[in-house]
C-alpha cells in the first residue's frame, strides 16, 4: 500500500473469511448438513444447490439439483476472490464447502483473538496469504495502553509447520518482535510479501533477518510502524542475488540509510514499481535513485526541505520527468513552496497524491491542483485552508477519496464548511471523505449528501468537541441525518460536533448499510444508542468514547453483538454490573475491561472491549485487562 493509504474496511469483518455467511435466496431446505457460522455455532446448510427460475405465470419451476466434480468446482472457485462470495459458496452444500475449504489461499482475520492458529489450520489447510489485525483502532489515538497484546509470535509458531508454503503476511496493529520476524524468515522457504502497518515491538535487526533469509522477497512494506533504530545497516543484508523486489517501503524509519547499498539494490531490481523512502533521503539522493528506477509507478520521496543549486534542481526535474508511468506520489516531507513548479508537470498523470507531510499553503495548493485533473485520491493538510479546497473542487472532478488532516490536532483547525461545500459542488464522484475542520454547518453537510450520493464513507471530525452549527446555533442532527438518508451506500460513518439523540434516531432509521460507526463527545441519553443498535442491522464495528451512554445503552445491543466484530466504549457511564450482564447473556463473547483505577460494581468502567471469538478468552491478558469474572474476585 502507498504511504498514508488506509486498509480498506470493505473487507468483511473478522470471522467471515473463516466461516460462512448468509446465502441470500439459495434454497437450503432439503438434505441438511451443517458447518460453523461466524460466532462458532452450528447452522444448517443444504446438501444440494438448487436452481429455480420464474415462468411467465410468475410461478417457480421445479428445482433441479446441480452438481460438479470437485476438480471442476475448484477451477471455477479460482475466479471467485471476494471473501463474501466465497463464504456464500461454502454454504451451498457439503461438497462445495469442502472444495472451498481446500481451495482457499488467502484469509482475512480482523481480530487476532477471534481464532487460534490451530483453528485456522483445520478450517483452511492450504493458505498461502494471511491478513491479520490486532489491537482496536483506538490504539492509534493512544487509548489502548502499551503492552495490551496482539502478539505475532504465537501465530508464526502455530503456522510454521502447518503452512510451509506461506508466501504473504499482511499485519496491522500487531506486536511484532525480532524473534517473530526471525522465526518467520526461517520457517517459510518461499516467503515473498511482508506488510507491517501501525505495528510495534521490532527493530532494524529483525528487518535484517528478513532481508538475508527471504531470498524470494517481492514486497517489504513498513507504514506508520514504530521501529527501533539499531542502524541503517539492515539494507546491506539483502544478498547480491536479490533482484526480485517489486515494492520497498521504509518511509516510517528515522535511521540513517547506507545510501550506496540502497542505490545498488534499486538498480538490480528491474521490476521495482513501488519505492517509499524515509525523510532522511535527500533530494540529490532521490535524483540518483530515480535515474536507476525510471519504471516506478508509486513513489514516496524523502525530505523536500533542502536548498538545491540550479544544476541540481535541473537534474531532479529530468529524473522525475523520466518516470513516465508515475501514478502515485507521497512523502514530500516539509516541502518548500518553491518546489511546487517542479511537481506540476508530473501531477498531470497522477491518480494518487499524498501531501499529508507537506505543509503547502493555499497559494501553492491552487497552482498544484490546476495540474491534478486526473486525481482520484488526495490526502493533504488543512494548511491549504478553504481556498486550497476550493481549487480541489474546481480542478479535481474525478476525485473519489479525500482526506484532510489537521496540522495541529490540538489547535483550532484551518478549514471550515466553505471548503466542504466546494468539494461537494466540484467532486460528484466522491465516495470517501475524512475531514478535520474548525467548524461545520448543517447546510454544508446536507449539500454534500445531495451532491455526492455515492458516498460510502463519511468521517467528519470537528476539532473542538460539542460545537454546534455556527450560523444557527443548532445541533448538527439534520446534517448527519441527511447523510444517512441520502447516501444509500453509506457503510462507514464518524460523527462529531453537538449532536442530540435525534441524530442517532436518523442514523438508525436510514443507515441500513452502515457497518462501522464512530462516536465521540455526542448524544444526550441511552436512547441514542438504542436507536442505532436496533436500526443499523448490518453494524459490525461500533466505537464510542467520551459519551453519556450507560448500561441501558450497552444492553440495548445484546441481540447484535454476536454478529459484530467488536464494540469499544471508553469514558462513558457503563458499570461493571452492565458488563457482567452482557457476559452472562452472551457467554460466547469476550468481554474485556481495561481498568487502571478504582474498582467496584457501581464504579464506571474506564474502557470496555467486546468482541466475538471462537476460542474463548485469551490467555495473554496483561494485569490491567480483566474478564468480568476476574474483576469480581
Amino acid at each position: 500500500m502507498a504511504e498514508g493509504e488506509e486498509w480498506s474496511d470493505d473487507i468483511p469483518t473478522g470471522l467471515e473469511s473463516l466461516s460462512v455467511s448468509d446465502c441470500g435466496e439459495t434454497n437450503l431446505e432439503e438434505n441438511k448438513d451443517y458447518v460453523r457460522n461466524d460466532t462458532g455455532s452450528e447452522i444448517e446448510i443444504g446438501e444440494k444447490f438448487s436452481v429455480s427460475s420464474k415462468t411467465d405465470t410468475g410461478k417457480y419451476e421445479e428445482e433441479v439439483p446441480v452438481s460438479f466434480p470437485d476438480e471442476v468446482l475448484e477451477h471455477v472457485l479460482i475466479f471467485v476472490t471476494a471473501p463474501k462470495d466465497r463464504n456464500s459458496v461454502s454454504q451451498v452444500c457439503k461438497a462445495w464447502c469442502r472444495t472451498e475449504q481446500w481451495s482457499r489461499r488467502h484469509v482475512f482475520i480482523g481480530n487476532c483473538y477471534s481464532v487460534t492458529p490451530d483453528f485456522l489450520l483445520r478450517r483452511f489447510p492450504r493458505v498461502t496469504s494471511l491478513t491479520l489485525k490486532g489491537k482496536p483502532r483506538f490504539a492509534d489515538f493512544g487509548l489502548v495502553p502499551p503492552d495490551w497484546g496482539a502478539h505475532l509470535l504465537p501465530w508464526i509458531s502455530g503456522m510454521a509447520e502447518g503452512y510451509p508454503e506461506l508466501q504473504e503476511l499482511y499485519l496491522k496493529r500487531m506486536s511484532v518482535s525480532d524473534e517473530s520476524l526471525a522465526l518467520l524468515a526461517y520457517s517459510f522457504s518461499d516467503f515473498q510479501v511482508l506488510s507491517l502497518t501501525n505495528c510495534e515491538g521490532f527493530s532494524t535487526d529483525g528487518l535484517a533477518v528478513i532481508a538475508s533469509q527471504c531470498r524470494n522477497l517481492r514486497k517489504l512494506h513498513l507504514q506508520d510502524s514504530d521501529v527501533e533504530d539499531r542502524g541503517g545497516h539492515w539494507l546491506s543484508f539483502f544478498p547480491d542475488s536479490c533482484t526480485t523486489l517489486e515494492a520497498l517501503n521504509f518511509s516510517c524509519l528515522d535511521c540513517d540509510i547506507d545510501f550506496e547499498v540502497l542505490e545498488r539494490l534499486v538498480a538490480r531490481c528491474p521490476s521495482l514499481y513501488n519505492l517509499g523512502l524515509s525523510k532522511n533521503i535527500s533530494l540529490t539522493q532521490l535524483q540518483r535513485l530515480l535515474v536507476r528506477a525510471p519504471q516506478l509507478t508509486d513513489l514516496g520521496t524523502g525530505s523536500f526541505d533542502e536548498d538545491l543549486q540550479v544544476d541540481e534542481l535541473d537534474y531532479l526535474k529530468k529524473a522525475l520527468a523520466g518516470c513516465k508511468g508515475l501514478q502515485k506520489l507521497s512523502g514530500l516531507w516539509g516541502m518548500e513552496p518553491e518546489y511546487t513548479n517542479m511537481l506540476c508537470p508530473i501531477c498531470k498523470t497522477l491518480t494518487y497524491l499524498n501531501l499529508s507531510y507537506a505543509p503547502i499553503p493555499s497559494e501553492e495548493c491552487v497552482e498544484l491542483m490546476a495540474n491534478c485533473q486526473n486525481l482520484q485520491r488526495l490526502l493533504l493538510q488543512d494548511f491549504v485552508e478553504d481556498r486550497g479546497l476550493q481549487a480541489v473542487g474546481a480542478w479535481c472532478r474525478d476525485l473519489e477519496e479525500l482526506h484532510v488532516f489537521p496540522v495541529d490536532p490540538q489547535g483550532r483547525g484551518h478549514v471550515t464548511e466553505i471548503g466542504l461545500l466546494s468539494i461537494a459542488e466540484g467532486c460528484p464522484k466522491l465516495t470517501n471523505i475524512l475531514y478535520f475542520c474548525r467548524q461545520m454547518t448543517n447546510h454544508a453537510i446536507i449539500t454534500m449528501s445531495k451532491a455526492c450520493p455515492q458516498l460510502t464513507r463519511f468521517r467528519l471530525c470537528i476539532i473542538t468537541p460539542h460545537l454546534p452549527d455556527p450560523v444557527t446555533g443548532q445541533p448538527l442532527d439534520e446534517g448527519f441525518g441527511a447523510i444517512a438518508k441520502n447516501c444509500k451506500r453509506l457503510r462507514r460513518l464518524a460523527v462529531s460536533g453537538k449532536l442530540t439523540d435525534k441524530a442517532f434516531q436518523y442514523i438508525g432509521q436510514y443507515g441500513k448499510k452502515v457497518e462501522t460507526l464512530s462516536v465521540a463527545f455526542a448524544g444526550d441519553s441511552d436512547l441514542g444508542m438504542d436507536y442505532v443498535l436496533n436500526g443499523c442491522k448490518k453494524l459490525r464495528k461500533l466505537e464510542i468514547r467520551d459519551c453519556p451512554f450507560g448500561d441501558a445503552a450497552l444492553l440495548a445491543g445484546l441481540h447484535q453483538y454476536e454478529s459484530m466484530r467488536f464494540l469499544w466504549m471508553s469514558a462513558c457511564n457503563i458499570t461493571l454490573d452492565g458488563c457482567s450482564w452482557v457476559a452472562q447473556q452472551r457467554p460466547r463473547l469476550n468481554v474485556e475491561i481495561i481498568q487502571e483505577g478504582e474498582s467496584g460494581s457501581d464504579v464506571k468502567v474506564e474502557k470496555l472491549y467486546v468482541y466475538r471469538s471462537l476460542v474463548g478468552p485469551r490467555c495473554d491478558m496483561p494485569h490491567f485487562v480483566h474478564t468480568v469474572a476476574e474483576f469480581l474476585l
Side-chain angles (χ1 to χ4, degrees):
M1 295 186 298
E3 179 187 350
E5 183 177 346
E6 288 193 329
W7 280 36
S8 173
D9 284 330
D10 296 342
I11 302 173
T13 57
L15 299 180
E16 286 185 345
S17 293
L18 297 179
S19 49
V20 296
S21 56
D22 186 11
C23 221
E25 297 180 357
T26 304
N27 190 325
L28 303 176
E29 292 300 322
E30 298 179 358
N31 301 319
K32 296 175 179 177
D33 200 359
Y34 67 86
V35 294
R36 289 192 175 273
N37 72 355
D38 286 4
T39 61
S41 59
E42 294 174 352
I43 62 173
E44 294 177 331
I45 64 172
E47 178 64 23
K48 297 179 180 179
F49 177 51
S50 300
V51 177
S52 58
S53 59
K54 278 187 177 180
T55 63
D56 294 337
T57 61
K59 296 182 179 181
Y60 283 93
E61 295 178 344
E62 183 178 356
E63 296 173 345
V64 181
V66 178
S67 61
F68 301 99
D70 289 352
E71 295 80 4
V72 174
L73 181 58
E74 185 167 348
H75 284 294
V76 172
L77 290 183
I78 293 175
F79 301 99
V80 181
T81 57
K84 285 186 177 180
D85 293 339
R86 293 191 67 99
N87 292 336
S88 296
V89 165
S90 71
Q91 214 178 14
V92 169
C93 65
K94 185 176 181 179
W96 284 43
C97 180
R98 182 178 60 251
T99 304
E100 199 277 332
Q101 172 186 10
W102 286 92
S103 63
R104 178 76 72 101
R105 296 295 180 266
H106 176 76
V107 172
F108 171 89
I109 300 177
N111 183 343
C112 65
Y113 291 117
S114 60
V115 293
T116 61
D118 289 341
F119 184 95
L120 177 64
L121 287 165
R122 293 194 303 270
R123 181 65 180 92
F124 298 113
R126 295 182 178 176
V127 168
T128 60
S129 176
L130 175 65
T131 296
L132 190 62
K133 287 188 176 184
K135 297 179 182 179
R137 193 184 69 90
F138 274 163
D140 296 343
F141 302 94
L143 296 181
V144 178
D147 302 320
W148 177 84
H151 301 290
L152 176 63
L153 187 58
W155 279 90
I156 302 299
S157 300
M159 295 188 299
E161 294 185 5
Y163 289 144
E165 298 180 358
L166 187 71
Q167 298 178 358
E168 302 177 359
L169 188 59
Y170 302 87
L171 305 174
K172 189 170 187 179
R173 300 191 193 97
M174 295 291 293
S175 180
V176 180
S177 64
D178 287 342
E179 181 184 0
S180 60
L181 291 180
L183 184 60
L184 169 69
Y186 286 106
S187 298
F188 309 109
S189 59
D190 193 29
F191 193 76
Q192 300 178 17
V193 177
L194 178 61
S195 176
L196 303 173
T197 304
N198 295 103
C199 294
E200 62 182 6
F202 63 104
S203 72
T204 50
D205 287 348
L207 298 178
V209 178
I210 294 292
S212 64
Q213 297 301 317
C214 300
R215 299 304 177 97
N216 298 319
L217 196 66
R218 293 187 295 109
K219 299 179 183 180
L220 178 60
H221 188 96
L222 311 174
Q223 180 176 317
D224 299 325
S225 292
D226 186 8
V227 187
E228 183 182 350
D229 176 16
R230 295 183 182 174
H233 64 284
W234 65 277
L235 280 173
S236 64
F237 282 81
F238 280 102
D240 292 340
S241 58
C242 177
T243 60
T244 58
L245 278 180
E246 300 174 7
L248 176 63
N249 187 324
F250 55 91
S251 57
C252 63
L253 297 186
D254 287 330
C255 60
D256 292 330
I257 297 296
D258 189 331
F259 179 74
E260 283 71 23
V261 171
L262 174 62
E263 187 177 24
R264 291 195 298 269
L265 177 62
V266 169
R268 66 176 183 264
C269 294
S271 298
L272 188 70
Y273 70 90
N274 181 341
L275 180 61
L277 305 170
S278 68
K279 57 185 176 182
N280 292 323
I281 299 297
S282 67
L283 290 177
T284 54
Q285 292 173 333
L286 173 64
Q287 180 266 330
R288 290 170 57 180
L289 292 173
L290 294 179
V291 171
R292 297 285 193 177
Q295 75 278 3
L296 289 175
T297 61
D298 188 342
L299 172 64
T301 75
S303 176
F304 255 72
D305 62 352
E306 64 177 294
D307 294 327
L308 293 181
Q309 301 297 324
V310 175
D311 56 342
E312 293 174 329
L313 187 59
D314 288 340
Y315 292 146
L316 181 58
K317 288 181 179 179
K318 291 178 181 179
L320 284 168
C323 299
K324 302 294 186 182
L326 196 63
Q327 298 177 357
K328 299 180 180 181
L329 182 63
S330 57
L332 308 169
W333 271 277
M335 190 176 77
E336 298 294 335
E338 57 263 27
Y339 290 115
T340 303
N341 287 332
M342 182 185 66
L343 292 181
C344 287
I346 65 173
C347 285
K348 297 181 184 299
T349 60
L350 295 181
T351 59
Y352 170 83
L353 178 60
N354 186 346
L355 300 172
S356 57
Y357 296 106
I360 299 179
S362 57
E363 294 79 6
E364 282 67 30
C365 183
V366 171
E367 181 182 358
L368 199 60
M369 290 302 109
N371 295 275
C372 294
Q373 300 181 30
N374 293 313
L375 274 188
Q376 297 175 8
R377 300 179 60 209
L378 175 62
L379 291 75
L380 72 172
Q381 295 182 356
D382 64 358
F383 197 63
V384 301
E385 301 181 320
D386 288 331
R387 184 184 173 192
L389 294 180
Q390 288 173 331
V392 174
W395 294 103
C396 306
R397 300 287 297 178
D398 292 333
L399 197 67
E400 299 176 3
E401 180 176 341
L402 173 66
H403 292 188
V404 182
F405 300 103
V407 175
D408 180 11
Q410 306 302 322
R412 297 181 62 246
H414 296 275
V415 298
T416 67
E417 71 280 357
I418 297 174
L420 188 71
L421 281 169
S422 301
I423 297 299
E425 294 166 358
C427 307
K429 297 181 181 179
L430 201 67
T431 61
N432 184 341
I433 185 167
L434 170 62
Y435 197 82
F436 282 84
C437 58
R438 182 171 71 243
Q439 64 183 38
M440 187 52 57
T441 63
N442 279 308
H443 170 68
I445 305 176
I446 293 172
T447 300
M448 169 151 279
S449 74
K450 295 178 179 178
C452 304
Q454 304 304 314
L455 279 173
T456 60
R457 300 180 185 181
F458 184 78
R459 290 176 287 171
L460 180 64
C461 304
I462 303 174
I463 295 176
T464 302
H466 308 293
L467 205 63
D469 185 320
V471 176
T472 65
Q474 296 297 312
L476 298 176
D477 299 341
E478 299 301 324
F480 283 105
I483 289 289
K485 182 177 182 180
N486 296 327
C487 302
K488 304 296 185 183
R489 300 181 180 180
L490 190 70
R491 292 198 303 273
R492 184 172 184 178
L493 177 63
V495 300
S496 61
K498 182 176 177 58
L499 294 175
T500 70
D501 290 341
K502 189 174 183 180
F504 298 106
Q505 183 178 8
Y506 287 139
I507 294 171
Q509 182 177 358
Y510 299 112
K512 300 304 181 184
K513 293 187 177 180
V514 172
E515 297 177 358
T516 302
L517 177 63
S518 302
V519 183
F521 305 99
D524 287 333
S525 68
D526 293 337
L527 188 59
M529 277 301 100
D530 187 85
Y531 289 134
V532 168
L533 289 165
N534 285 286
C536 300
K537 302 299 185 182
K538 294 190 176 181
L539 194 63
R540 304 296 178 87
K541 295 180 283 186
L542 179 57
E543 306 168 328
I544 307 172
R545 57 167 296 191
D546 296 278
C547 292
F549 307 133
D551 289 345
L554 173 64
L555 299 179
L558 275 178
H559 66 288
Q560 185 93 319
Y561 295 147
E562 286 190 342
S563 64
M564 291 170 55
R565 190 195 298 180
F566 70 81
L567 164 71
W568 172 279
M569 297 183 72
S570 60
C572 295
N573 293 328
I574 55 175
T575 67
L576 182 60
D577 287 341
C579 299
S580 178
W581 185 252
V582 173
Q584 292 176 23
Q585 296 299 310
R586 296 294 182 267
R588 290 181 296 188
L589 292 174
N590 283 358
V591 181
E592 295 184 1
I593 297 171
I594 301 176
Q595 193 86 355
E596 298 179 286
E598 59 180 330
S599 60
S601 61
D602 57 345
V603 173
K604 291 183 181 179
V605 170
E606 295 174 10
K607 298 166 185 175
L608 172 68
Y609 185 43
V610 179
Y611 58 92
R612 58 186 184 178
S613 176
L614 297 178
V615 292
R618 58 188 177 113
C619 59
D620 63 348
M621 288 186 292
H623 65 90
F624 51 80
V625 177
H626 314 271
T627 65
V628 173
E630 291 173 343
F631 211 77
L632 290 173
L633 293 177

